[in-house]
Amino acid sequence: MTVVKLHYFKGRGRAETTRWMLAANQIDFLNVPVTTAQELAALRESGKPPFGQMPVLEIDGLCLSQSSAMVRYLARKGGFYGSADIDALWCDMLAGVVADFAEVPIAAAFQPTLAHAEANIRAALGKFGPHFENRLAVNGDWLVGSKLSFADVVMAEAMTHAVEWVPDLLAGSALA
């Protein structure tokens, strides 16, 4: 069997949700950290990044890029896209709004102070959290359907990242 490889810089970044989806699929993989400009140039020269960007996922004889496309590929591969077209639609809509929320903790490291980053994350949860909670109230334990979907995975990863910045963020929330 060919080894599945995920090429990315050290750290979570845009590759973390792909890591979570690989885990949900129970796919063993090798993290290949790109730590120097020379390594990045060599990766690009190899032709593996379809658009010259990272992360790059080598799987099933393919070299994939664009995080959301990789996550959706893995969702389809593992049956995490729901059981009907409407489930897939909800997965896509939720993944989109979670991506909007997730931009805030991603940007936290670039804020002038920790207090500023925390305030932005709390505001983002105030904006998006009620919608996420409503979805759970309507659907039960899962965001979509009656089992784990990729919408649950992207939500869990985004919330985990936010809670790393603001540990008490979900206190008293249905999202905890």
Side-chain angles (χ1 to χ4, degrees), residues 115-163:
H116 192 79
E118 288 178 3
N120 288 347
I121 291 169
R122 287 185 191 281
L125 185 65
K127 177 180 179 181
F128 294 107
H131 301 289
F132 301 150
E133 289 174 343
N134 287 341
R135 185 65 192 159
L136 287 171
V138 166
N139 201 58
D141 293 336
W142 308 105
L143 290 169
V144 176
S146 59
K147 65 178 189 161
L148 181 71
S149 72
F150 92 90
D152 298 299
V153 174
V154 297
M155 171 75 77
E157 193 279 320
M159 289 300 163
T160 299
H161 192 194
V163 167

